[in-house]
Amino acid sequence: MTELPPRRLLLVHAHPDDESINNGATMARYAAEGAHVTLVTCTLGERGEVIPPGLAHLSGPALGQHRAGELRDAMRALGVEDVRLLGGAGRYGDSGMMGLPDNDDPACFWQADVDEAAALLVEVIREVRPQVLVTYDDNGGYGHPDHVQAHRVAMRAVELAEEAGCPVAKVYWNRVPRSVAEESFARLRDDLPGLPFTGAATVDDVPGVVPDERITTEIDGTAHAAAKAAAMRAHATQITVAEPYFVLSNDLAQPLFTTEYYELVRGERGSGVRETDLFAGLGLGIGDAS
C-alpha cells in the first residue's frame, strides 16, 4: 500500500451534497495542502427532492445512481480522491425525513444496527488511520434521521477503533456560530431583491447553529470559495447556487459559508482562543501552532 501523507482527515456524511455544503472549503483547503482527505457517505440520497424540472423523473435507485455521479464531480472540484460509500453502494438506503413511513424501511440507514455499521467504518479507520474525524452533532445538525444515524455510527466507530488500537486523536462536529449566521442573513435580506430566489430562509434553518462560545475551531477557506461553489453546483439535483448564496428544494436562500466552523468534542484542543487548524496540537506541521 502507498504510504499516506502525515495528516489524514476523515469526514462522515449522510447523503451526497452534505459534505460540500458543510465542509467543502475545509476539504478543498486540506486537499490542496497535501493532507489525505477521506469522505465516507452513508447513503446515496435516493429519497431526495429534485430541483431541476429536466431531472424530475429521477427517483429511487435511479436518483441514487445520478447522485453518486454528482458526488464524484463534486469531489473532483474539491480535489478529493478518496471517496467511499459506507459498506459499498446500496448497502444503506436513504431514510427520508423524520416521521415519514420511509423511516420504517428495513433497508434504510435509520434502521441499521449501529454497531454493524460502525464496524464497517472502523475498516476505513484501520486502513486510513485518520488523526481527525468530522461529523454531525447528536441531532444530526437538524434532526434528519440519516444525519442522526451518521453521528451515532461515527461516534461508535471512534470508540471501537480505539479498542482495536487505531485511535482517532480529534473528533469535531459541524457548527455555525450564531453571530456569523445572523450577520450573514442580515446581508442576505439586503441582497435578496437582486437574487434569482423567491425568499430567504432563516437562521433556524441552518444546521448546527450554536452560541459563539461553543465554537472551538474555524477554518478559513476563502481561498477555496470557488471550489466549494463548484462542488455545490455539481449536486445539481439538490442545490442551486448564486454566490455567495444557495437554495435547496424549498427555494429559500441561505448564505454559502467559506469560513467553516467546528466544535472539538474529543481530543486535546490546540492553543489560542480558537484553533485555525483541525490538526492543531498534533505536531504534524502546517498550522500546528494555531
Side-chain angles (χ1 to χ4, degrees), residues 39-268:
L39 171 67
V40 173
T41 302
C42 298
T43 83
L44 286 174
E46 302 91 339
R47 291 189 164 106
E49 296 182 17
V50 176
I51 295 175
L55 297 175
H57 62 283
L58 293 172
S59 64
L63 176 58
Q65 288 303 308
H66 187 91
R67 293 187 69 179
E70 291 181 337
L71 181 61
R72 289 191 293 271
D73 291 343
M75 293 305 95
R76 276 195 291 271
L78 298 180
V80 174
E81 298 179 356
D82 189 2
V83 183
R84 308 170 188 227
L85 295 169
L86 185 63
R91 178 64 176 264
Y92 297 112
D94 188 339
S95 306
M97 298 302 289
M98 189 69 84
L100 296 179
D102 298 335
N103 305 163
D104 299 324
D105 183 344
C108 79
F109 189 47
W110 183 241
Q111 293 295 328
D113 179 88
V114 170
D115 276 6
E116 177 185 274
L120 296 171
L121 186 56
V122 171
E123 293 177 10
V124 179
I125 293 173
R126 289 173 67 94
E127 177 186 341
V128 178
R129 293 184 174 268
Q131 296 97 349
V132 177
L133 183 147
V134 171
T135 192
Y136 316 102
D137 64 15
D138 54 1
N139 188 46
Y142 71 108
H144 191 294
D146 287 331
H147 288 238
V148 173
Q149 189 77 323
H151 160 86
R152 293 172 178 170
V153 168
M155 298 305 290
R156 180 60 175 146
V158 169
E159 293 176 350
L160 294 174
E162 184 165 26
E163 292 172 5
C166 299
V168 177
K170 303 178 81 174
V171 177
Y172 292 92
W173 292 346
N174 295 307
R175 292 299 193 199
V176 178
R178 183 163 292 278
S179 68
V180 170
E182 290 175 348
E183 291 165 8
S184 299
F185 274 93
R187 288 193 296 272
L188 168 58
R189 287 189 291 272
D190 291 339
D191 293 345
L192 190 60
L195 296 176
F197 306 132
T198 60
T202 69
V203 170
D204 291 339
D205 294 317
V206 177
V209 174
V210 293
D212 288 30
E213 57 267 25
R214 294 278 298 273
I215 305 300
T216 62
T217 312
E218 60 180 83
I219 302 300
D220 182 356
T222 52
H224 305 282
K228 175 168 180 170
M232 290 174 65
R233 284 194 178 95
H235 292 289
T237 60
Q238 308 299 305
I239 307 172
T240 303
V241 176
E243 293 174 77
Y245 304 108
F246 72 98
V247 298
L248 301 173
S249 60
N250 60 10
D251 202 37
L252 297 177
Q254 298 185 40
L256 192 162
F257 297 110
T258 54
T259 295
E260 295 168 344
Y261 300 87
Y262 301 90
E263 180 180 2
L264 178 67
V265 297
R266 184 181 175 106
E268 294 297 322

